[in-house]
């Protein structure tokens, strides 16, 4: 039986919205998921900034209205309904040129009884901005529906071109109400117990870095994310805070939750170490090994020893080096204990050979690589 593509890997999810959806996708592919929401969404009825922006649009006509997301535009209309402003808002927007960033935003616009004039083929804010600037915005009032992110490059470029911009912040994000789950997730990342960390929004990425700073662990976190933990962001905007901090971020071709999950199923297995040991095909995954297609969980200390032995590719590794590889170190007998537990976990004691007075080695076949 072939192990699931993400079996043996632990993946951290920092999302607040749609975290359950992403987690379910990853678990179906075999992953263990740790959830530490890095942000929370301000409830629409309580959002004074959204109410103020809505009143501004209602009180004065706008020439252009930009819908950047479907859920954001729907949320705006629903919030206006709760405040008794929906009819007046839609009347104002019906007199404006409406632009929609993509199909979901377009669907929300039409569901509200409006008709968009244009939508970019590439579904990007950059295309929307270019379209507006080419059409000319000097002297125009433009309402820009935001979704969690301020989009300063977008709104500043419009203002610099002479437009009066009304930013409409729908679903603003702040830090998590309970920071404990995020702090536990970061501790697991620092302990190298997480193989990949996922991000679906720029505010979540910024919040993770800010939380690490508050804990006094930012340099350690950056070291982990740069070297040992795969970081995956749903798109370039999401990745931006991490990229600025020097963290490499893998991105799917399409900024979608499903595409992010698929990217993980490609990237994590591609990083696995594969060896032919004692006539067995062995694949080292994050927190487990696959022996001849069978997933075999390995505890942290034996796994650390196995990684050190695998890096030697059949050469002898002295006990002192294996001791240094153990989480938390310990005395020399800790190496012997870890070796015994490793042999049990692998299910074939001959895979790990004792070299008297020298150390241990893997019984790597001459070719060395699993076929």
């Amino acid at each position: 039986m072939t192990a699931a593509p993400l079996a043996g890997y632990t993946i951290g999810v920092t999302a607040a919205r749609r975290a359950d959806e992403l987690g379910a996708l990853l678990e179906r592919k075999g992953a263990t998921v740790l959830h530490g929401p890095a942000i929370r969404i301000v409830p629409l009825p309580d959002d004074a900034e959204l109410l103020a922006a809505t009143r501004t649009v209602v009180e004065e006509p706008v020439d252009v209205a930009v819908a950047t997301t479907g859920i954001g535009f729907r949320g705006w209309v629903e919030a206006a309904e709760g405040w008794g402003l929906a009819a007046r808002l839609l009347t104002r927007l019906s007199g404006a040129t409406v632009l929609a960033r993509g199909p979901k935003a377009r669907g929300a616009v039409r569901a509200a009884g409006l008709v968009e004039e244009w939508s970019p083929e590439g579904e990007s804010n950059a295309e929307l901005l270019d379209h507006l600037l080419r059409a000319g915005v000097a002297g125009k009032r433009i309402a820009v529906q935001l979704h969690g992110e301020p989009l300063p490059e977008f709104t500043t470029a419009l203002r610099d071109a002479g437009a009066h911009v009304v930013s409409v912040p729908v679903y603003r994000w702040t830090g998590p109400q309970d920071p404990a789950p995020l702090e536990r997730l970061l501790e697991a990342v620092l302990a190298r117990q997480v193989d990949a960390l996922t991000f679906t929004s720029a505010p979540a990425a910024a919040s993770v870095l800010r939380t690490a700073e508050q804990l006094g662990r930012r340099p350690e976190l950056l070291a982990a994310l740069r070297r040992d933990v795969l970081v995956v962001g749903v798109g370039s905007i999401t990745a931006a805070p991490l990229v600025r901090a020097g963290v490499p971020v893998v991105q799917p071709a399409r900024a979608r939750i499903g595409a992010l999950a698929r990217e993980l199923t490609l990237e994590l297995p591609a990083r696995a170490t594969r060896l032919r040991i004692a006539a067995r095909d062995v694949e080292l995954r994050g927190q487990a090994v696959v022996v001849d297609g069978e997933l075999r969980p390995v505890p942290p200390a034996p796994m650390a020893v196995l990684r050190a032995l695998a890096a030697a590719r059949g050469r002898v590794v002295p006990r002192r080096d294996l001791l240094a590889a153990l989480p938390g170190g310990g005395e020399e007998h800790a190496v012997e204990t870890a070796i015994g537990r490793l042999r049990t976990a692998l299910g074939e004691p001959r895979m790990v050979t004792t070299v008297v007075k020298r150390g241990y080695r893997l019984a790597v076949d001459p070719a060395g690589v699993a076929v």
Side-chain angles (χ1 to χ4, degrees):
M1 180 177 178
T2 302
L6 293 181
Y9 292 109
T10 298
I11 299 175
V13 172
T14 62
R17 189 176 68 86
R18 301 181 71 186
D20 290 345
E21 178 185 349
L22 176 56
L25 283 172
L26 297 174
E27 286 172 350
R28 282 201 294 271
K29 297 176 185 296
T32 297
V33 174
L34 295 182
H35 183 212
I39 54 176
R40 69 181 177 92
I41 299 172
V42 176
L44 293 178
D46 302 335
D47 197 333
E49 288 188 27
L50 177 60
L51 175 58
T54 303
R55 283 177 171 160
T56 298
V57 174
V58 164
E59 288 165 5
E60 294 185 54
V62 292
D63 300 294
V64 180
V66 179
T68 61
T69 65
I71 189 173
F73 192 83
R74 284 194 302 273
W76 185 19
V77 175
E78 289 167 6
E81 183 85 37
W83 297 320
L85 296 172
R88 294 169 62 192
L89 173 63
L90 292 174
T91 296
R92 285 298 193 199
L93 296 181
S94 66
T97 297
V98 178
L99 307 180
R101 182 175 64 87
K104 292 182 179 179
R106 192 163 59 239
V109 166
R110 294 178 183 179
L114 304 172
V115 179
E116 80 286 351
E117 180 179 282
W118 185 78
S119 185
E121 185 176 337
E123 305 176 26
S124 72
N125 288 325
E127 289 172 283
L128 274 177
L129 178 60
D130 183 63
H131 178 83
L132 284 166
L133 294 178
R134 282 190 286 106
V137 297
K140 293 186 176 181
R141 281 173 54 82
I142 302 176
V144 181
Q145 169 258 310
L146 307 175
H147 182 66
E149 300 162 346
L151 296 181
E153 297 87 355
F154 192 96
T155 55
T156 299
L158 292 176
R159 290 189 178 103
D160 288 346
H164 175 76
V165 178
V166 180
S167 295
V168 183
V170 187
Y171 294 112
R172 284 189 301 114
W173 294 329
T174 64
Q177 195 160 13
D178 178 9
L182 176 60
E183 292 174 3
R184 287 195 294 270
L185 174 58
L186 294 184
E187 286 296 333
V189 170
L190 293 170
R192 306 311 195 265
Q193 295 169 358
V194 172
D195 304 298
L197 194 60
T198 63
F199 295 90
T200 58
S201 71
S207 177
V208 163
L209 296 175
R210 184 168 56 251
T211 301
E213 182 77 42
Q214 292 166 351
L215 295 172
R217 311 292 295 275
R218 182 182 169 107
E220 295 171 67
L221 178 69
L222 291 177
L225 298 183
R226 288 167 181 165
R227 291 198 306 262
D228 303 317
V229 179
L230 174 67
V231 180
V232 184
V234 78
S236 58
I237 293 175
T238 293
L242 296 158
V243 172
R244 285 196 295 270
V247 175
V249 181
V250 172
Q251 302 169 39
R254 289 175 60 80
R256 299 286 186 271
I257 293 289
L260 184 148
R262 286 191 295 275
E263 196 70 22
L264 280 162
T265 65
L266 297 174
E267 288 288 336
L268 278 176
R271 292 178 163 218
T273 298
R274 296 175 177 83
L275 297 169
R276 182 80 175 167
I277 306 173
R280 304 287 185 91
D281 290 334
V282 180
E283 178 181 327
L284 277 67
R285 297 192 175 185
Q287 316 299 320
V289 294
V290 178
V291 180
D292 286 342
E294 179 188 356
L295 184 74
R296 304 187 68 92
V298 181
M303 194 71 194
V305 167
L306 177 57
R307 291 193 183 284
L309 292 171
R313 292 297 198 275
R315 298 188 302 276
V316 177
V317 181
R319 285 182 175 82
R320 64 176 180 276
D321 293 349
L322 295 177
L323 182 62
L326 286 174
E331 298 180 0
E332 193 161 313
H333 72 83
V335 173
E336 296 173 9
T337 300
I339 289 289
R341 296 175 69 194
L342 174 60
R343 285 172 170 151
T344 300
L346 293 174
E348 173 50 83
R350 292 178 302 168
M351 288 187 183
V352 183
T353 301
T354 302
V355 182
V356 179
K357 296 184 179 180
R358 293 181 59 197
Y360 299 90
R361 60 180 289 274
L362 292 180
V364 176
D365 291 1
V369 180
V371 294

